């Protein structure tokens, strides 16, 4: 289906939407020994959604604290943070900056640049718009999104433990943003 993003009506009010960190997460899945999946998440993230008048004006930026990794095993997490693996002293954050957003309705695509340490590569994610809701307790309006994509570890200089860990890391973001007060 062809979509002319210039004529797509945006369902969100213009302005800077703030992340609701209590209802947002960054998760990942990577194969271990090629036979099973290890799942994890990052506990600390910051993100912002800027909505303009047109789809071409939409921008998303996010920063993830890599030291906040949680795979459900403290010993494994400490090892992943160490200098022989992720090396969070050298690579403290992972950042994403969108360069283009397109789509309509519930299904969107976001192209952008992911930086881990000193390496930046293009990454495209599929985005599902979950909708808008007014929160009864405070009257704020929240928008929900799920974004999924994948990266290849070696493209970011994370080629440690070949054969032990899979090359492909699948990423899932569940994000809620709060509408600007002046919307």
């Amino acid at each position: 289906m062809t979509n002319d993003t210039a004529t797509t009506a945006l369902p969100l009010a213009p302005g800077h939407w703030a992340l609701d960190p209590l209802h947002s997460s960054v998760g990942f899945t990577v194969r271990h020994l090629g036979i099973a999946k290890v799942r994890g998440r990052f506990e600390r993230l910051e993100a912002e959604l800027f909505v303009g008048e047109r789809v071409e004006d939409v921008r998303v930026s996010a920063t993830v604290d890599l030291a906040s990794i949680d795979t459900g095993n403290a010993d494994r997490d400490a090892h992943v943070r160490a200098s022989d693996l992720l090396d969070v002293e050298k690579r403290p954050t992972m950042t994403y900056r969108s360069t283009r957003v397109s789509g309509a309705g519930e299904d969107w695509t976001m192209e952008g640049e992911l930086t881990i340490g000193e390496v930046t590569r293009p990454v495209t994610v599929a985005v599902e718009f979950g909708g808008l809701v007014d929160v009864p307790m405070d009257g704020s309006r929240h928008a929900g999104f799920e974004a999924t994509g994948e990266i290849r570890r070696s493209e970011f200089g994370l080629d440690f433990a070949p054969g032990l860990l899979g090359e492909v890391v699948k990423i899932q973001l569940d994000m809620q943003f709060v509408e600007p007060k002046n919307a």
Side-chain angles (χ1 to χ4, degrees), residues 163-181:
L164 204 59
L165 292 177
E167 167 68 359
V168 174
V169 179
K170 295 183 180 184
I171 300 168
Q172 179 175 346
L173 299 100
D174 291 294
M175 310 291 274
Q176 277 190 39
F177 289 92
V178 181
E179 185 176 68
K181 295 277 187 213

Side-chain angles (χ1 to χ4, degrees), residues 11-14 16-18 132 134 139-143 177-183:
L12 305 176
H16 289 273
W17 288 64
L132 288 165
D134 293 327
S140 64
R141 176 170 269 198
H142 289 227
F177 289 92
V178 181
E179 185 176 68
K181 295 277 187 213
N182 59 353

Side-chain angles (χ1 to χ4, degrees), residues 2-39:
T2 303
N3 180 22
D4 180 8
T5 58
T7 60
T8 300
L10 293 174
L12 305 176
H16 289 273
W17 288 64
L19 180 70
D20 176 353
L22 297 177
H23 300 100
S24 299
S25 65
V26 176
F28 65 89
T29 305
V30 63
R31 289 265 179 198
H32 181 254
L33 299 175
I35 59 172
K37 293 179 182 177
V38 173
R39 299 177 192 280

